[in-house]
Amino acid sequence: MFWASYLLAALAIILAWPAPIALSRAGWPARAPFTAMVLWQSIALAGGLSMIGAMLVWGLEPLGDNLVEASTAFLDILLDDGSAESLGVIHVFAISAAILLFGHLVFTLALTFVRIHRQRRRHRDMLTLLSSPAAGQPATLVIKHPAPVAYCLPGGARSVTVMSDGLMDLLSQAELDAVLTHESAHLHQRHHLLLWAFAAWRSALPWLPTSRLAQQAVSELIEMLADDEALRHVDEPTLVRAIAIVGAGAPPSDALDDALAGESGIPLTAATAAVTGGTADAVSTVPRLRRLLTPLPPLSRLQQGLALSSAGLLLVVPPLLLVAPELLG
């Protein structure tokens, strides 16, 4: 089984470093956010399975020629209180590390869920006191705040969209519909589950730079997916103005209006910078505005098929490497 453990280790290294960095720097995910999201998920799942599998298979290698045989022998040692001399200290350490890493990932996933659930429950209690139902908008609450704020609060049947009266004062009805459709898309497409999973990955492996890259990329991609849903109900200029107003906290600048009308020679980067005014929201707002104002052609079916095939292959290879020694006899 030694060759399987080395292949799993090599795959784990690739998925932990060069692959996520290359994907985070690529330009095509903005053209196919759903496909990119699937690929990010497969990288995370396959990377975790490869890390655990490499240590487990290498640790059990002295006990058998395949995973089933070696695992049975290891269980016999545990249940019969047998000697682990046949393993050696290094192999025992590898098995322990695999078990601890698996437990750490599962525990962090559960802990992140509990933490997020508690935060949402406290937030919902505060909204009960500080908000009122929006007229003519089901499952929508309004809070009194001068800044333009809009977000969704997942909770199954109790999911709501929250917006400020300051937002309602700045937006036209069409722009308000764009914002509400955007936030509803987050709820209907269960984006909070993706954020939960990648937040847990970053919490479990904070020393891994790519866990930060993955969380940031997924956060941007779900915003793009929600924008695409909003575009099915409103036109592009309306959505752009709504994003700009929420991002800047004020009506959009003349530079953006000129860019939308196609009457300005101002570079688009300058127009989007003027919209955000250097605020923290620029990190998420500028890529969305750039994508809408300078649209690129979508990926071809062949390109999307190759990306999705790669994602599927990543999910198949680690389990295949785990059972390959048994299949090959």
Side-chain angles (χ1 to χ4, degrees):
M1 293 194 298
F2 71 95
W3 59 269
S5 65
Y6 292 144
L7 289 176
L8 284 167
L11 182 61
I13 293 173
I14 292 172
L15 296 179
W17 193 264
I21 290 178
L23 183 56
S24 67
R25 294 176 178 175
W28 70 262
R31 299 164 58 191
F34 176 79
T35 302
M37 184 75 73
V38 173
L39 191 54
W40 273 114
Q41 293 177 73
S42 65
I43 288 175
L45 290 172
L49 184 58
S50 298
M51 282 191 291
I52 296 171
M55 292 184 290
L56 183 64
V57 171
W58 190 82
L60 292 173
E61 192 268 335
L63 298 180
D65 296 329
N66 57 69
L67 187 61
V68 174
E69 179 183 335
S71 298
T72 302
F74 181 69
L75 288 176
D76 290 339
I77 292 176
L78 293 179
L79 296 176
D80 297 337
D81 197 20
S83 174
E85 291 183 0
S86 58
L87 283 173
V89 175
I90 297 180
H91 289 277
V92 170
F93 176 80
I95 296 172
S96 301
I99 295 174
L100 288 174
L101 179 58
F102 175 76
H104 175 61
L105 292 175
V106 173
F107 176 77
T108 304
L109 187 66
L111 187 63
T112 303
F113 173 80
V114 172
R115 176 175 56 81
I116 293 175
H117 180 72
R118 288 177 177 174
Q119 290 175 346
R120 289 175 181 163
R121 185 174 59 186
R122 289 195 296 267
H123 195 151
R124 195 178 301 277
D125 291 340
M126 293 179 61
L127 287 175
T128 301
L129 300 174
L130 302 176
S131 67
S132 57
Q137 297 288 348
T140 303
L141 301 176
V142 178
I143 58 175
K144 291 185 178 299
H145 199 285
V149 176
Y151 60 91
C152 57
L153 184 62
R158 300 175 61 196
S159 298
V160 294
T161 298
V162 182
M163 59 183 178
S164 66
D165 53 3
L167 179 73
M168 300 174 67
D169 293 338
L170 286 175
L171 299 184
S172 66
Q173 185 58 49
E175 292 163 353
L176 185 61
D177 290 340
V179 172
L180 292 176
T181 303
H182 175 100
E183 297 303 331
S184 296
H186 285 316
L187 295 173
H188 297 154
Q189 297 178 16
R190 304 292 192 272
H191 290 163
H192 56 282
L193 298 179
L194 291 171
L195 293 175
W196 161 47
F198 281 91
W201 185 21
R202 184 175 182 181
S203 296
L205 305 172
W207 45 269
L208 192 65
T210 49
S211 65
R212 176 185 56 81
L213 293 176
Q215 187 180 31
Q216 179 179 337
V218 168
S219 297
E220 291 182 359
L221 289 172
I222 65 172
E223 294 299 327
M224 294 177 184
L225 287 171
D227 287 342
D228 290 343
E229 180 65 24
L231 284 176
R232 298 179 182 179
H233 302 272
V234 300
D235 57 48
E236 186 175 290
T238 298
L239 178 60
V240 169
R241 283 180 57 86
I243 293 173
I245 290 172
V246 174
S253 65
D254 293 339
L256 182 67
D257 286 334
D258 290 342
L260 287 174
E263 299 174 353
S264 173
I266 299 176
L268 199 54
T269 52
T272 53
V275 168
T276 58
T279 62
D281 287 336
V283 175
S284 61
T285 301
V286 170
R288 295 167 62 194
L289 291 175
R290 184 182 297 115
R291 175 176 182 257
L292 293 171
L293 291 171
T294 56
L296 296 174
L299 294 184
S300 66
R301 290 187 177 182
L302 176 60
Q303 291 172 317
Q304 292 200 47
L306 289 174
L308 292 174
S309 298
S310 300
L313 188 63
L314 285 177
L315 296 177
V316 170
V317 169
L320 188 61
L321 288 175
L322 288 173
V323 301
E326 181 180 4
L327 295 178
L328 297 177

